[in-house]
Structure formats: structure tokens, C-alpha cells
Amino acid sequence: MSGNRAVAYIEPGVVEVQDIDYPTFELKDGPGVNPANVGRKLPHAAILKVLTTNICGSDQHMVRGRTTAPPNLILGHEITGEVVETGPDVEFIKVGDVVSVPFNISCGRCRNCKERKTGICLNVNPDRPGSAYGYVDMGGWVGGQAEYALVPYADWNLLKFPDADQAMEKIMDLTMLSDIFPTGYHGAVTAGVRTGSTVYIAGAGPVGLAAAAGAQLLGAAVVIVGDLNEDRLAQARSFGCETVDVSKGDPKDQIEQILGVPEVDCGVDAVGFEARGHGHGAGQEAPATVLNSLMDITAAGGALGIPGLYVTGDPGGIDEAAKVGSLSLSLGTGWAKSLSFTTGQCPVMKYNRDLMMAILNDKVQIAKAVNATAIRLDDAPQAYREFDSGAARKYVIDPHGVTGANAN
């Protein structure tokens, strides 16, 4: 087998489907590949036929030109697939297994991996701890918005579904295990959500909606989701969330109307560095807005989960500080209120098996919550445009027609 097609970033606002090499058990040179990784042997890897691969808001940051991503970088870090070939060192994963791929690439051998900190593996990215498929400055591992993809350290990284037929029946839910469901859930967990909590989630994109579903799964009494986009707020309401339209002013006032008090127990930032202002500043970029607002509305002694992406290099930042990831935070507010903060990549492997069991046993309908929509690989450029315009959907690329998307 030698053919493969994939979605590539070309320039700001432009992606295209390209013919690329079929994976091999060696990391080759290419756009974004760290020179120290070129020629890296991968006998521990598996090659997957990609069944589903999702468009993520983190991909959209690159496509908007808000990172240093190089042209022709193959996109995609949310991968679910069927194993079609394994390297000679793979012992437990077998051809034919249907699996979920954590977006974090991790070795399973370093100190951080052994401590379940798989988002900051020490061995897969020569530049710094942490790596991901198809992402800028993450080591150059080829992205998974493709027909076929390579997964290193397969025995460690891959989550095998217990029954392949059952997995295919629930593929639109299970595809969310690679990133957004664990990421949203991690935001809720690190914010301290538990039975009876009141929670405010900033952002009604897919990660925010996944955080809302995760908060409900954890037993939150009230989940409030804030956004500027009415379609996305309507999607949050469709599965029992309260909503706040931040274009109408300070979230605190609307939260008080819902709860009777102007604060919540727990706060989640599912927006990240391209945040917009509230009230009169709505629509204008103000990257510290969400974090400062969450510190204001979270009760003293509470916590903030911050799964929203922040970067150290943003060519489109609104000022010189923002271009290097420096924001004007009211840290004094956080200190005075004894707030806790958790940032960084979600360690997907910490949560994915438990969330898989919740899906397989009908405890959560995550595809419905995020409005999952299957599309063909060739439809990806249009889907990126629609997602960028604020479509209240989670686009799921189906390269081989397993969901019926190729019949559209």
C-alpha cells in the first residue's frame, strides 16, 4: 500500500487536501519536523486506517495564522482508527483492533509519563516537554487528518475498544475520546467540580460544551456556559445548561439572575488566547478577559480549570506582549481569593478509559452535546471555513465513509 491523502495548512485562511506519503516506521523530514527527530526509528509504532479524525479549535488557531505553523504542515491530532500494521516491537496491540489515539504523544518510559503527566512527556519532542500530532512546535509528528496515520509507542498510547462492532456503532461518541471530551472533563475536574457544584464555563465551542457535559457527569447542580455566539449557546441549552450572553455585559450580573448570587463554585476557561471582550468590548480581542472574569466570579477558595490554549508565539497578537504570550492578568485578585489554577495540555490517558466506559454504557451522549457532524475528507476546507465563522458543530472527518459521510 502506498497512497495517502491528508489535510494541510497552506497559509492563513487556507487549507487543502494533498497527496502525502503512506506512513513508515521512521520519522522523515517534512514541514515542522524537528531536525533532531528526522530519521527516528519507530519499531514500537502502529499504522492506522483513520476511521474518524476531528477538526479542533486548536487547529483553527494555526489556520488563522495565529501561530508559527509552517506551510504544508499536515493537520490533525484527534484520531480514531483501525490498526492495519504494527512494528516489530509492538506486543499487545493487534491488526484489526479499533482504537482511540490520545492527542498527547508520550513514550510511557520517562518520569512524567510514569507519573501520568503524559501531556509533558520528556522524550518525544526535542524542543520541550510535550508533543502532539500535526501541531506547530510539537516535534513534527505527522497529523492525523488523513487516510492513514502513524502512532508511536503503540502498546502504550493506544486505547483499544473492547468490542470493534460496538465501537463502530458508537463511533461518533468515541471519536471525542482523543481530545475534546477528556480535555473538557479535565477542565471540570481541575476546577473542582463535584456533586452539587455551580460551574461557569467560558466558551461554548466544542471544548466548552464537552466541559459542560463533563461537569454534568461529575454531578454539578448548575452548569452555566458563556459565549458571544447565540447558536453555540443554544447548543449548550439543548442538553440542560444555563447560558450567559457575554455581549450583554458582565457575566457576574447574569450569573446572579440565575443563581441568586454573583459567583460560582468553579470556573473553566475553554476559550484561550483569542478571547474577546465582554459587554461594550464584545467582538474585540482582549486575551486576558476570560481569565480575569473567571477570577472575579469564582468564589474565594475555588479553582480554575484552564484547558483553553495559550501560546508563547502569536504573530497576530494585539500588542507586543500578547505576541509572546504575556497577558495583563489580575493575579492580585486570584491571590486575594486563594484561587487555584491548572493549565496545560490535558493528560488524556488519565481519563480516556473511564470516559470510554461512560460512553459504552450510555451514561453520556457527548456527540449529541457537541453537535458532531460527519464530513468527507474532501469537505475539510469548507468545514474549516464554517467552523471559523462560528458554526455550532464539531466536524468529524470520515476519510473512508464508515459513518456514511461519503454518501453525501
Side-chain angles (χ1 to χ4, degrees):
M1 191 174 296
S2 58
N4 196 12
R5 300 169 71 236
V7 180
Y9 165 72
I10 304 303
E11 61 184 23
V14 179
V15 302
E16 69 178 25
V17 178
Q18 297 182 346
D19 291 322
I20 66 168
D21 291 338
Y22 186 81
T24 65
F25 295 101
E26 179 180 320
L27 191 56
K28 298 179 180 179
D29 197 7
V33 177
N34 189 299
N37 261 348
V38 174
R40 188 170 182 162
K41 304 298 183 183
L42 306 169
H44 44 69
I47 297 172
L48 306 187
K49 174 185 175 181
V50 176
L51 300 175
T52 54
T53 175
N54 316 326
I55 296 175
C56 181
S58 298
D59 298 319
Q60 198 70 66
H61 292 307
M62 290 188 289
V63 173
R64 290 186 185 124
R66 298 299 298 269
T67 71
T68 55
N72 298 303
L73 180 75
I74 302 302
L75 299 168
H77 54 271
E78 301 189 16
I79 310 165
T80 305
E82 177 186 349
V83 177
V84 294
E85 190 175 352
T86 58
D89 290 353
V90 177
E91 184 175 1
F92 304 112
I93 289 293
K94 305 298 182 185
V95 170
D97 288 345
V98 177
V99 295
S100 179
V101 184
F103 80 89
N104 326 103
I105 303 172
S106 56
C107 71
R109 295 152 166 81
C110 71
R111 172 181 176 177
N112 285 348
C113 285
K114 290 178 180 180
E115 294 177 356
R116 302 184 77 188
K117 301 173 184 175
T118 54
I120 45 174
C121 174
L122 299 174
N123 288 330
V124 288
N125 182 356
D127 281 337
R128 65 175 188 269
S131 190
Y133 305 90
Y135 212 83
V136 59
D137 296 332
M138 287 292 186
W141 301 87
V142 178
Q145 287 175 15
E147 294 173 331
Y148 296 91
L150 183 87
V151 176
Y153 305 103
D155 282 327
W156 165 255
N157 280 307
L158 293 177
L159 174 67
K160 177 185 172 181
F161 299 132
D163 183 274
D165 291 337
Q166 182 190 30
M168 294 311 300
E169 291 174 3
K170 292 181 175 289
I171 191 67
M172 292 295 283
D173 291 286
L174 294 172
T175 191
M176 305 305 163
L177 291 174
S178 57
D179 183 355
I180 68 160
F181 196 14
T183 292
Y185 188 80
H186 177 64
V189 167
T190 55
V193 178
R194 60 187 184 275
T195 301
S197 295
T198 58
V199 187
Y200 178 75
I201 296 169
V207 170
L209 296 173
Q216 291 175 337
L217 197 60
L218 288 163
V222 183
V223 178
I224 305 170
V225 181
D227 205 292
L228 297 160
N229 183 316
E230 175 52 35
D231 289 342
R232 291 183 169 183
L233 292 174
Q235 184 62 30
R237 291 192 293 271
S238 75
F239 61 100
C241 299
E242 300 287 344
T243 58
V244 163
D245 183 344
V246 297
S247 71
K248 296 180 178 178
D250 192 327
K252 180 183 289 189
D253 299 329
Q254 296 175 68
I255 289 169
E256 186 169 18
Q257 292 174 14
I258 295 167
L259 297 178
V261 293
E263 64 182 17
V264 292
D265 299 321
C266 313
V268 178
D269 174 5
V271 178
F273 73 104
E274 288 192 68
R276 305 283 169 173
H278 297 162
H280 295 300
Q284 298 177 7
E285 191 161 315
T289 295
V290 169
L291 290 172
N292 287 330
S293 174
L294 285 171
M295 285 189 278
D296 187 38
I297 64 179
T298 300
L304 308 183
I306 309 174
L309 175 69
Y310 290 87
V311 297
T312 57
D314 173 13
I318 60 171
D319 54 35
E320 293 306 309
K323 289 178 181 179
V324 293
S326 295
L327 308 180
S328 297
L329 297 180
S330 181
L331 192 57
T333 300
W335 191 94
K337 297 176 74 173
S338 294
L339 300 176
S340 301
F341 304 76
T342 301
T343 66
Q345 286 187 34
C346 165
V348 170
M349 293 174 68
K350 186 175 182 178
Y351 306 107
N352 62 353
R353 185 188 180 278
D354 292 345
L355 294 177
M356 174 189 75
M357 294 302 293
I359 289 170
L360 293 178
N361 290 283
D362 299 319
K363 300 303 181 186
V364 64
Q365 293 180 304
I366 187 62
K368 183 177 180 181
V370 301
N371 196 18
T373 303
I375 61 170
R376 301 177 306 156
L377 185 67
D378 287 325
D379 294 332
Q382 177 63 27
Y384 268 99
R385 290 189 290 270
E386 292 175 3
F387 189 37
D388 189 47
S389 70
R393 297 177 182 272
K394 175 66 172 177
Y395 287 101
V396 178
I397 300 172
D398 173 1
H400 296 281
V402 299
T403 68
N406 283 359
N408 291 341

